[in-house]
Amino acid sequence: ESRSKGKVREIAFPVSEAAAQLARLRAQEKKLLEADGTEASDTQIAELSAKLRNLEKIRKELLVQGMSPPVRFFMDTVLDGGLTHAVVSELGQCLASWRKPRLQPLIHQRRDLLEKRLQL
């Protein structure tokens, strides 16, 4: 279950998740640097440094990407302080229209799987 929560968080908040992973890797790197200078730790530090560079590159790419229209709408609304019932309803409608084409294939796949299960 925690693995699926991590995946959802990674998809919903990719920049935050990348920053959290970056912080965890930097903490590991710090522990390794403070440990005795053995061959194993040198190898681990090199591997960790490669992961850190790759993750930092991915994080920068994510920051360059624009926000999706529903997220942009939500951010504009929250930052302007105009969060009213009508605005929340409009946001719900935007999210529903954004989500609908993404859910249709999953609904059809679920229906097919249930039909196959009934045939067994």
Side-chain angles (χ1 to χ4, degrees), residues 46-60:
E47 289 174 0
L48 207 50
S49 294
K51 287 180 184 177
L52 281 167
R53 283 190 303 274
N54 187 34
L55 192 56
E56 184 64 33
K57 179 184 168 196
I58 291 170
R59 187 174 158 272
K60 286 180 181 178

Side-chain angles (χ1 to χ4, degrees), residues 38-78:
T38 62
E39 258 184 56
S41 65
D42 288 342
T43 306
Q44 290 173 336
I45 290 171
E47 289 174 0
L48 207 50
S49 294
K51 287 180 184 177
L52 281 167
R53 283 190 303 274
N54 187 34
L55 192 56
E56 184 64 33
K57 179 184 168 196
I58 291 170
R59 187 174 158 272
K60 286 180 181 178
E61 290 171 359
L62 287 171
L63 288 170
V64 172
Q65 291 178 1
M67 292 184 281
S68 67
V71 172
R72 189 177 315 111
F73 172 78
F74 182 76
M75 290 298 295
D76 291 343
T77 303
V78 170

Side-chain angles (χ1 to χ4, degrees), residues 4-120:
S4 65
K5 284 182 184 177
K7 275 291 195 195
V8 169
R9 189 177 19 232
E10 184 178 324
I11 292 168
F13 308 104
V15 176
S16 297
E17 187 60 25
Q21 288 176 358
L22 198 60
R24 285 191 297 268
L25 289 175
R26 285 192 175 138
Q28 286 179 358
E29 182 183 42
K30 184 178 178 184
K31 286 179 185 178
L32 287 173
L33 289 172
E34 292 172 352
D36 293 333
T38 62
E39 258 184 56
S41 65
D42 288 342
T43 306
Q44 290 173 336
I45 290 171
E47 289 174 0
L48 207 50
S49 294
K51 287 180 184 177
L52 281 167
R53 283 190 303 274
N54 187 34
L55 192 56
E56 184 64 33
K57 179 184 168 196
I58 291 170
R59 187 174 158 272
K60 286 180 181 178
E61 290 171 359
L62 287 171
L63 288 170
V64 172
Q65 291 178 1
M67 292 184 281
S68 67
V71 172
R72 189 177 315 111
F73 172 78
F74 182 76
M75 290 298 295
D76 291 343
T77 303
V78 170
L79 293 176
D80 290 342
L83 198 58
T84 62
H85 178 70
V87 170
V88 172
S89 295
E90 186 178 349
L91 177 63
Q93 291 172 355
C94 287
L95 289 174
S97 66
W98 174 82
R99 186 178 61 179
K100 187 176 181 178
R102 288 163 177 80
L103 285 179
Q104 288 300 324
L106 296 174
I107 292 171
H108 290 298
Q109 183 181 11
R110 181 175 181 222
R111 186 177 299 133
D112 292 341
L113 289 172
L114 287 173
E115 287 176 4
K116 287 179 184 176
R117 185 175 179 192
L118 287 173
Q119 291 174 358
L120 296 176

